[in-house]
Amino acid sequence: MAIVINGTDHPIPNDPRMSLLDLLRERVGLTGTKLGCNQGACGACTVLLDGERVLSCLTLAVQASGRQVRTIEGLAGEGLAGEGLAGEEGPLHPLQQAFIDHDGFQCGYCTPGQICSALGMLEELRRGEPSHVTADLSAGRTALTREELRERMSGNLCRCGGHNGIVDAILEYAEKGGAA
Amino acid sequence: MIPFSYSLAANEQDALARGANGTARYLAGGTNLVDLMRQDIERADALVDISRLPATIEETAGGGLVVGAAVRNAALAADPRVRARYPMLSRALLAAASAQIRNMATVGGNILQRTRCSYFYDVAGSRCNKRSPGAGCDAIGGFTRYHAILGASDRCAATHPSDMCVALVALDAIVHLEGATGRRSMPLADLHVLPGDTPHIETSLRPGELITGIEIPSCPAAANSTYRKVRDRSSYAFALVSVAAALKVADGKISDVRIALGGVAPKPWRAKRAEAALRGSAPGDDAFRVAADAELADAAPLEGNGFKVSLARNTIVAVLGGLAGEAA
């Protein structure tokens, strides 16, 4: 068994203590995913595991065996691998571009987690999942208001206070029908 | 983290065999256990990964649901049957943690998560009777804003942090267990135990025993239910006080009422006294206040959390008033 990271197989570490975050950063060299609190409080280490947003700091790498991990490095040039434009050489993912257009960051440390989290969040919304601020639990669909977005993204802290730009970027991407 | 071995359980029997070793621990979502092991609060020689055991939500013959222990918190919150029949449970889950953590955390792990008492976490600087039995407690007499006002002892006033469990005890949920001596079940309300003189003992689980699922009985009153969580920030924070409640009114009288409290006690706190005071009476703010006061009569706040008594009372009254609507 291997861990599939951005489409490439990687061996499972021998030491089960290694977190998925450390595997990504220290072994695979994918340093886009950030180490923040290392205790599940900040969201900087958010990645997509089989499409679901999770915290890589609290996931043991061995638990990702046989599963698909997607990190910020796997977003640019998405779907263009056949044209030699995959990964960092490809054009930015439209949500990455929206973060630039709306100044969705200052220092940028939380940004990879914010972007991966937003992609997972939009999938949850597409599936009709409610949130803490959803008034009607029986509704099959919930509109992505600013209030809904802020609640759904509350697991990603931004200490620069870049939240307004982050919200604007995600809203614009979602309104354009952005595919996760 | 001390070194440990890892194995993936193929099924429940396999998990039990692997978990029988005295220093093995079951690992599910890892959102609490991995953190505690990194802090050197929890130690294990072996982790038995139960996160890939069947995660189904099935109907019972009696109109309830059986939820597999490995079901993720996010999946349970989003289940259409839970949203329709037990909205307080969906709302409790959605008020908890962050979306990332809800995607990882399981039902079984949520039940067995440890307190977030900051003195419990402060290995280097604080005494804690949970971490080191008999060591003493630096929380009592310290910063107690987040501590218990009900059910605590002079050894420990740490609160149980779960939101989900508050809704589940209000719903009379049953825990299904499997261990070396076979299967058994018990009310969730009996699984967690009060600290007394032994705050390091938090549940009535036997060594190596595994939570396999939760049964939520049919509860028609719960169609009219909700969960309100009062906290220091409006999202991604633990409760100061939370209230799970269901209310059914028939012919101007309360025919069924369920109330449980979070953030105020070492275990999810079923408010039986408040319920008894309300059953059969006419709904209204005065009745709700009398019931809340009955529940809180034994409250023993510490120096820093006296506000929780009035906060709990007001939250109970507000939640019941909202559920009563026009009937009050």
Side-chain angles (χ1 to χ4, degrees), chain A residues 16-17 38-41 46 53 55 57-59 62-63 65 67 117 124 128 132 134-135 137 139 151 154 156, chain B residues 1-4 6 27-28 31 35 38-39 49 51-52 83 91 94 98-101 103-104 231 235-236:
Chain A
R17 292 178 294 180
N38 211 28
Q39 55 180 21
T46 302
R53 49 178 169 163
L55 300 174
C57 77
L58 292 181
T59 302
V62 64
Q63 289 195 286
S65 170
R67 303 176 72 179
S117 183
E124 293 158 12
H132 171 61
T134 306
L137 286 183
E151 162 60 25
S154 72
N156 292 84
Chain B
M1 244 189 279
I2 61 165
F4 54 81
Y6 167 92
L27 172 71
T31 57
D35 185 34
R38 201 172 274 151
Q39 309 287 334
D49 188 349
S51 66
R52 299 197 200 192
R83 287 153 70 175
R91 293 226 175 265
L94 293 170
S98 68
Q100 289 95 318
I101 291 174
N103 280 340
M104 302 168 70
R231 40 189 163 169
S235 188
Y236 200 11

Side-chain angles (χ1 to χ4, degrees), chain A:
Chain A
M1 282 293 233
I3 302 172
V4 187
I5 301 171
N6 298 331
T8 303
D9 281 6
H10 291 273
I12 295 154
N14 291 325
D15 189 337
R17 292 178 294 180
M18 178 171 276
S19 68
L20 178 58
L21 174 63
D22 284 346
L23 176 78
L24 292 170
R25 291 183 57 86
E26 310 295 334
R27 290 285 174 86
V28 184
L30 294 174
T31 53
T33 306
K34 296 296 184 257
L35 168 71
C37 67
N38 211 28
Q39 55 180 21
C42 76
C45 68
T46 302
V47 298
L48 297 167
L49 186 59
D50 287 344
E52 302 285 342
R53 49 178 169 163
V54 300
L55 300 174
S56 60
C57 77
L58 292 181
T59 302
L60 297 179
V62 64
Q63 289 195 286
S65 170
R67 303 176 72 179
Q68 301 271 345
V69 180
R70 202 163 164 220
T71 72
I72 191 74
E73 292 91 344
L75 301 182
E78 178 185 47
L80 299 174
E83 301 167 40
L85 289 170
E88 292 162 41
E89 291 159 35
L92 291 179
H93 185 281
L95 183 56
Q96 291 176 307
Q97 187 61 50
F99 266 67
I100 294 172
D101 294 344
H102 291 278
D103 293 329
F105 46 79
Q106 283 184 42
C107 81
Y109 200 80
C110 72
T111 310
Q114 298 276 6
I115 289 175
C116 288
S117 183
L119 294 176
M121 182 272 290
L122 292 171
E123 267 309 305
E124 293 158 12
L125 197 73
R126 213 182 309 273
R127 290 198 299 262
E129 296 183 6
S131 84
H132 171 61
V133 299
T134 306
D136 181 6
L137 286 183
S138 65
R141 282 285 163 108
T142 303
L144 187 61
T145 60
R146 290 185 86 86
E147 185 193 18
E148 279 283 353
L149 194 155
R150 292 177 77 99
E151 162 60 25
R152 290 169 187 264
M153 290 296 293
S154 72
N156 292 84
L157 307 189
C158 169
R159 290 188 66 173
C160 301
H163 300 94
N164 287 331
I166 292 169
V167 172
D168 289 342
I170 299 169
L171 275 179
E172 182 195 74
Y173 172 74
E175 281 161 8
K176 285 182 178 169

Side-chain angles (χ1 to χ4, degrees), chain B residues 159-324:
Chain B
T159 52
H160 193 268
S162 172
D163 295 291
M164 179 193 79
C165 289
V166 179
L168 285 176
V169 295
L171 291 166
D172 284 332
I174 307 292
V175 193
H176 293 314
L177 305 168
E178 189 154 0
T181 53
R183 293 174 184 272
R184 63 177 181 139
S185 296
M186 69 166 75
L188 176 61
D190 295 341
L191 183 80
H192 297 104
V193 298
L194 292 176
D197 291 335
T198 54
H200 58 290
I201 300 171
E202 298 175 353
T203 72
S204 46
L205 282 179
R206 296 168 183 156
E209 209 165 27
L210 182 67
I211 296 177
T212 58
I214 286 281
E215 183 173 341
I216 312 169
S218 169
C219 178
N224 181 41
S225 71
T226 195
Y227 185 80
R228 184 174 294 183
K229 183 175 183 182
V230 184
R231 40 189 163 169
D232 277 332
R233 62 180 182 198
S234 61
S235 188
Y236 200 11
F238 289 97
L240 292 165
V241 167
S242 68
V243 176
L247 188 71
K248 190 170 187 192
V249 179
D251 301 326
K253 298 275 172 62
I254 295 170
S255 58
D256 194 6
V257 58
R258 307 293 182 88
I259 307 169
L261 308 177
V264 295
K267 58 184 280 186
W269 192 265
R270 179 76 179 267
K272 290 259 186 191
R273 286 191 201 173
E275 291 178 9
L278 287 170
R279 210 165 277 118
S281 62
D285 278 0
D286 288 342
F288 299 151
R289 209 170 289 119
V290 168
D293 284 340
E295 191 63 47
L296 296 162
D298 291 343
L302 301 162
E303 203 172 325
N305 64 6
F307 72 94
K308 282 192 177 182
V309 181
S310 51
L311 184 61
R313 182 200 302 117
N314 295 344
T315 309
I316 292 170
V317 172
V319 166
L320 292 174
L323 292 173

